[in-house]
Amino acid sequence: MLHLLYGAGLARAIDLGDDVCADCGELDGSSRQKQILRVAGFLLGGVVAGMGAQIFVLPYIDSITGFTVLFASMTGVAAWLATSSTRLSYAGLQFAFAFYIVHLSEFTIQTSLTVARDRVLGVFLGITMMWLVFERLFPRSAADEMVRIFIVNLRLLGDLVSCSPGADDPASIVAVRKLRQDIYRHFGEVNAQMDAVPFETGSVREGDMAARDRIRRWQASLRSFYVLELPLLQFRVFGDLESKTRTFAGLENEVRLGCARIFNAVADDLQEQMTSREHKPSTPVEVLEHLEAGMRGRNVEFSEREQALMRLTRTISQIVDRLQHEVSTEGLYEVRPPEPAVTALVGTESV
């Protein structure tokens, strides 16, 4: 009984600490994906490798060398799983934890199956408590977390495109770099949530899957904007003021401020849909049309570099306009009816 309580307490403490760290760092939310990986890692590491080694391997080991080979082999398997994709990596951590708690809790080879059984049951009890607390008592939907992080990233992109750091102000440059790092990190967090959404069930699953497909498409647009905006940011910060024409600087400022307003408007729209799960169509404001209107009637010759950046600005404007149009016309949780199957009829000619 003492071993059972010890295993249960240690399993609960370490597994809870690991989950808290993972949730804080990766924001994986509460999903059945991690629960499946916990159970798989527990069965492989605790039952198959842990108790299996006690039955079939340890009786033939009489030196530290043999135990070291066993330990290194199981650690290699756990490391191989832990360094795989995010869909499987958590199972590697659970595999290692379950195996280590069976074999590495004492300074001797553990040959008692009773002790191993109690420790494996302790790990199972910890996994059961994790499932009860994080999925039944205090659940967090991965779909809601996905949309929430996407909205945060939209606002961060709005802050990034509207900022004007000075080349002689190191603090502002550091702030911009941190902002870009946060945006890049949130891209990965949204992808992690996308992987977890298919594992969830419930009455709103169909709408969540529709939101997942749209967020995946819209995030691709944000990634393109994030990459293409960097040359404009560098030219805005480090470019020679004398080499910039007033017309280009004015148009570039209007475009980036317009993009910032659109990002914030899209974020507000998605936030409202996340709360009410209802979509209210809105009229988009075209950034590219505003840019073309601003260039009409201005007979200004841009430098070669400004011409390249202006083409880049048009591309960015098209990306933002397309994103705004899709968000304003498509409901985030709107489920499209299945398209009717089209049967091709092959006619025969009479001879």
Side-chain angles (χ1 to χ4, degrees):
M1 185 64 183
L2 179 61
H3 286 293
L4 176 60
L5 293 177
Y6 167 78
L10 187 57
R12 174 72 178 123
I14 296 181
D15 201 44
L16 177 57
D18 183 71
D19 270 271
V20 170
C21 293
D23 289 338
C24 293
E26 300 178 3
L27 292 175
D28 279 343
S30 174
S31 69
R32 287 174 175 81
Q33 181 187 24
K34 294 188 72 175
Q35 187 66 22
I36 293 173
L37 295 178
R38 286 192 194 101
V39 174
F42 154 73
L43 292 176
L44 292 175
V47 178
V48 177
M51 299 188 68
Q54 282 192 314
I55 298 173
F56 299 106
V57 179
L58 291 185
Y60 302 97
I61 292 178
D62 57 359
S63 66
I64 190 64
T65 303
F67 184 75
T68 302
V69 173
L70 172 65
F71 171 77
S73 301
M74 295 299 101
T75 301
V77 173
W80 179 67
L81 290 173
T83 55
S84 62
S85 67
T86 55
R87 294 178 177 87
L88 295 175
S89 59
Y90 193 74
L93 299 177
Q94 199 68 37
F95 179 99
F97 168 70
F99 179 79
Y100 291 166
I101 201 173
V102 172
H103 289 285
L104 299 182
S105 297
E106 299 175 358
F107 291 98
T108 182
I109 293 179
Q110 182 57 252
T111 57
S112 174
L113 290 177
T114 302
V115 175
R117 179 205 62 191
D118 292 344
R119 291 174 180 173
V120 168
L121 290 177
V123 176
F124 179 73
L125 178 60
I127 292 176
T128 304
M129 291 303 299
M130 294 294 298
W131 168 80
L132 180 63
V133 172
F134 287 99
E135 189 168 342
R136 292 301 175 185
L137 298 181
F138 306 101
R140 273 198 311 167
S141 169
D144 291 343
E145 196 70 16
M146 172 190 66
V147 177
R148 186 191 68 80
I149 300 173
F150 185 78
I151 292 173
V152 170
N153 230 18
L154 281 170
R155 300 193 189 281
L156 291 178
L157 281 169
D159 294 339
L160 176 65
V161 75
S162 61
C163 68
S164 298
D168 54 350
D169 186 4
S172 62
I173 295 178
V174 171
V176 169
R177 288 176 178 173
K178 184 179 183 303
L179 192 58
R180 287 184 60 86
Q181 291 175 356
D182 291 340
I183 293 172
Y184 183 80
R185 175 171 54 84
H186 286 154
F187 283 144
E189 293 173 357
V190 172
N191 286 336
Q193 297 299 335
M194 289 181 186
D195 292 337
V197 170
F199 290 87
E200 297 195 335
T201 59
S203 59
V204 296
R205 184 180 187 275
E206 195 173 5
D208 290 342
M209 291 297 294
R212 175 179 180 265
D213 294 337
R214 290 186 174 92
I215 293 294
R216 184 190 299 275
R217 175 161 34 98
W218 295 340
Q219 172 148 285
S221 299
L222 291 188
R223 281 184 177 272
S224 300
F225 179 90
Y226 175 81
V227 173
L228 295 176
E229 194 270 342
L230 180 58
L232 294 173
L233 177 63
Q234 292 178 337
F235 186 64
R236 186 164 71 249
V237 177
F238 300 106
D240 187 6
L241 294 177
E242 296 180 357
S243 63
K244 298 180 184 179
T245 61
R246 288 188 175 181
T247 303
F248 176 83
L251 291 174
E252 195 264 343
N253 286 334
E254 291 179 4
V255 169
R256 63 187 182 88
L257 293 179
C259 291
R261 286 192 295 269
I262 289 176
F263 283 144
N264 287 312
V266 170
D268 293 338
D269 187 3
L270 294 180
Q271 184 71 51
E272 184 178 353
Q273 292 188 57
M274 183 179 174
T275 304
S276 63
R277 299 186 77 90
E278 295 180 357
H279 172 58
K280 299 178 181 178
S282 57
T283 303
V285 179
E286 302 291 340
V287 178
L288 182 60
E289 181 180 350
H290 184 72
L291 175 63
E292 298 293 346
M295 293 185 63
R296 294 193 194 102
R298 297 186 182 182
N299 189 13
V300 180
E301 294 185 359
F302 295 128
S303 64
E304 184 177 353
R305 185 177 185 182
E306 287 179 340
Q307 291 178 6
L309 293 175
M310 186 56 65
R311 290 192 295 269
L312 190 61
T313 303
R314 287 194 179 94
T315 303
I316 288 176
S317 301
Q318 292 174 350
I319 293 174
V320 176
D321 287 344
R322 183 171 63 250
L323 172 65
Q324 181 188 205
H325 176 75
E326 292 178 356
V327 174
S328 62
T329 56
E330 300 179 20
L332 177 61
Y333 300 99
E334 179 182 350
V335 179
R336 296 176 179 175
E339 297 181 358
V342 178
T343 304
L345 299 178
V346 180
T348 58
E349 295 182 0
S350 59
V351 180

